[in-house]
Every structure is written in structure tokens, then in C-alpha cells.
Amino acid sequence: MKVFRVLMKNKELIPLALIITAAASGASSFAVYSLNKKPDVIIDRKRNPEPWENVDPNVPGKLITINQQWKPIEELQKVRRATR
């Protein structure tokens, strides 16, 4: 309640408080989104000890992917052929 008294006395602090509140709620909502929707975030290691096996390489893990094309690395392909 003391915060509201300070805001009522100093009206110029109200926009600052609103911006800080919006930023904090946006950051916390993105954190919850990342924990629930992203496959590279590990919360429970007991039920899923190797989560990297469930990641689809065709689905981008970034928020924005611009002109991404997958090209095989020739040295890696040679090693794979040699070990078969």
C-alpha cells in the first residue's frame, strides 16, 4: 500500500511503474512459454534423460529464422559412410 501512496504523491512515476510492470509480466510469460513449448529446455531429467533424441532437425528452434537452408557437411558424410 505504501507504493500506491508514493505513486499518488508523485504522478510522474505512474508511466514508469506501468512500463516496469509490463516488462516483468512479458519476461515471465516468455519464460513460462519457453519452459512449456521449447524442446531444448529440460525441466525433468528423470523422465526424459536424453531429450536431444526428441528434437526434430527440420523444425527451427529459434524465434525467427531467416533464409535457413540445411546443407550436409561433406567431411561428416564421409565419416558416416566410412563407419557403416
Side-chain angles (χ1 to χ4, degrees):
M1 297 307 271
K2 194 173 187 180
V3 174
F4 292 118
R5 287 185 201 154
V6 171
L7 288 177
M8 292 318 240
K9 285 182 183 177
N10 301 324
K11 302 259 186 206
E12 63 271 5
L13 293 179
I14 293 174
L16 180 63
L18 292 175
I19 290 171
I20 290 174
T21 304
S25 64
S28 61
S29 65
F30 182 73
V32 170
Y33 165 75
S34 293
L35 289 174
N36 290 333
K37 300 291 182 186
K38 301 284 184 172
D40 55 345
V41 177
I42 303 169
I43 298 175
D44 188 10
R45 296 181 69 186
K46 293 180 181 176
R47 280 191 268 161
N48 192 5
E50 297 172 347
W52 54 86
E53 292 180 357
N54 299 334
V55 177
D56 186 14
N58 296 325
V59 176
K62 301 176 185 178
L63 287 176
I64 298 174
T65 304
I66 301 172
N67 299 330
Q68 180 180 3
Q69 295 178 354
W70 183 79
K71 296 178 184 176
I73 302 171
E74 294 201 24
E75 292 84 13
L76 183 60
Q77 297 298 325
K78 289 178 185 177
V79 170
R80 285 186 181 165
R81 284 187 220 122
T83 56
R84 285 186 186 174

